[in-house]
Amino acid sequence: MIDMQKDAALKGLQLPFGVLEVWYPDPSGWDTAGFEALKRRELDEIMLLAPEYDRKRDFSEDPYFRYFRKFKKTYPVMAQLESFLLKGRPFPEWSPINQVAFLTELKTRVLLGTHDVERVQGPVTLYRPAAEESFTGMGGRESHSYKGDLTGRDDGGIILSMIAGPDERTCLQEDTLHPVYLVFAPEGYPAARVENCLEQIAAYVRALAPGARMERLVL
């Protein structure tokens, strides 16, 4: 399994971090029709929330919303949900592996990251940087970590940031078959809820690819 660890400063904190590594079989063995049917049912159920949706009621006390607000940022899962519920934006159809993560975020409102394990260089260390550190974000954009934000680096540099998102080198690719789904959580978030989110991801993976192999842990 992918080698992930927390640095000494994070050990002992209630800062659960979920990891679900998946070895997908060749796409010829996927049940895309079954996954599509499940996805449509889940999205229909989520859409039923639209008439009663209220940002203040639904997110003002949400620990993710409050975490992102500390950095003067909008919680991206909230923005995704509002785009789907209120603006009629279509569900992204790129890569069923990515759809698993996106659907989980809409369903659970928990923040995920997805990376290609084959592109990770050595062990990954989670830490909180003392200052901004530059890296190349997804899409080739110049990005940086944020002081005090949960960040991860491998032997090649930063690959993830809770606020800034994934890097370009290890982010999901069109040919990825060996991803790792990561569940971020603010400090104090219950580990049981991270476990539940991992199980939700695993359920979608099983629907998409019944022959997939999975390993999980909560750091």
Side-chain angles (χ1 to χ4, degrees):
M1 188 174 184
I2 186 171
D3 185 358
M4 301 195 75
Q5 57 194 349
K6 294 177 178 177
D7 77 353
L10 296 183
K11 290 177 180 176
L13 299 178
Q14 187 183 339
L15 189 66
F17 187 83
V19 182
L20 179 70
E21 186 170 352
V22 182
W23 291 261
Y24 280 94
D26 185 86
S28 62
W30 294 1
D31 182 7
T32 51
F35 176 71
E36 185 65 26
L38 172 60
K39 183 180 77 177
R40 293 265 56 97
R41 291 195 299 271
E42 293 285 68
L43 292 177
D44 287 347
E45 182 177 308
I46 293 167
M47 184 55 75
L48 292 175
L49 303 173
E52 303 300 324
Y53 176 79
D54 180 89
R55 175 187 282 190
K56 183 176 180 181
R57 183 197 65 209
D58 292 349
F59 277 101
S60 64
E61 297 304 316
D62 182 273
Y64 290 93
F65 176 87
R66 293 166 71 87
Y67 182 85
F68 273 76
R69 189 170 62 181
K70 284 195 310 183
F71 291 89
K72 299 186 169 129
K73 300 291 183 181
T74 299
Y75 181 39
V77 175
M78 181 189 74
Q80 290 165 186
L81 181 66
E82 290 181 349
S83 291
F84 179 72
L85 289 180
L86 309 179
K87 300 176 183 177
R89 298 277 174 83
F91 186 87
E93 297 298 329
W94 179 78
S95 172
I97 291 175
N98 182 62
Q99 291 178 47
V100 165
F102 197 87
L103 185 58
T104 302
E105 287 186 322
L106 292 182
K107 179 82 171 180
T108 66
R109 305 186 183 183
V110 169
L111 181 65
L112 304 187
T114 311
H115 296 261
D116 188 325
V117 177
E118 300 301 325
R119 291 173 166 84
V120 175
Q121 300 174 12
V124 178
T125 301
L126 302 174
Y127 69 107
R128 285 173 169 166
E132 291 184 0
E133 299 173 6
S134 298
F135 69 98
T136 302
M138 191 167 61
R141 61 186 172 81
E142 287 302 310
S143 191
H144 61 82
S145 64
Y146 287 76
K147 180 180 177 181
D149 177 40
L150 184 65
T151 302
R153 64 183 172 222
D154 68 2
D155 291 344
I158 291 175
I159 66 169
L160 61 92
S161 159
M162 191 164 173
I163 293 293
D167 75 326
E168 172 71 6
R169 170 170 53 88
T170 71
C171 69
L172 200 66
Q173 306 290 322
E174 205 142 339
D175 62 350
T176 298
L177 289 175
H178 183 191
V180 61
Y181 296 101
L182 305 176
V183 180
F184 294 86
E187 189 172 351
Y189 197 77
R193 293 176 70 177
V194 172
E195 291 272 13
N196 290 342
C197 186
L198 290 175
E199 181 51 43
Q200 183 65 76
I201 303 168
Y204 292 148
V205 170
R206 286 190 290 267
L208 173 60
R213 181 165 68 88
M214 292 178 269
E215 292 187 17
R216 75 177 81 175
L217 61 87
V218 176
L219 293 170

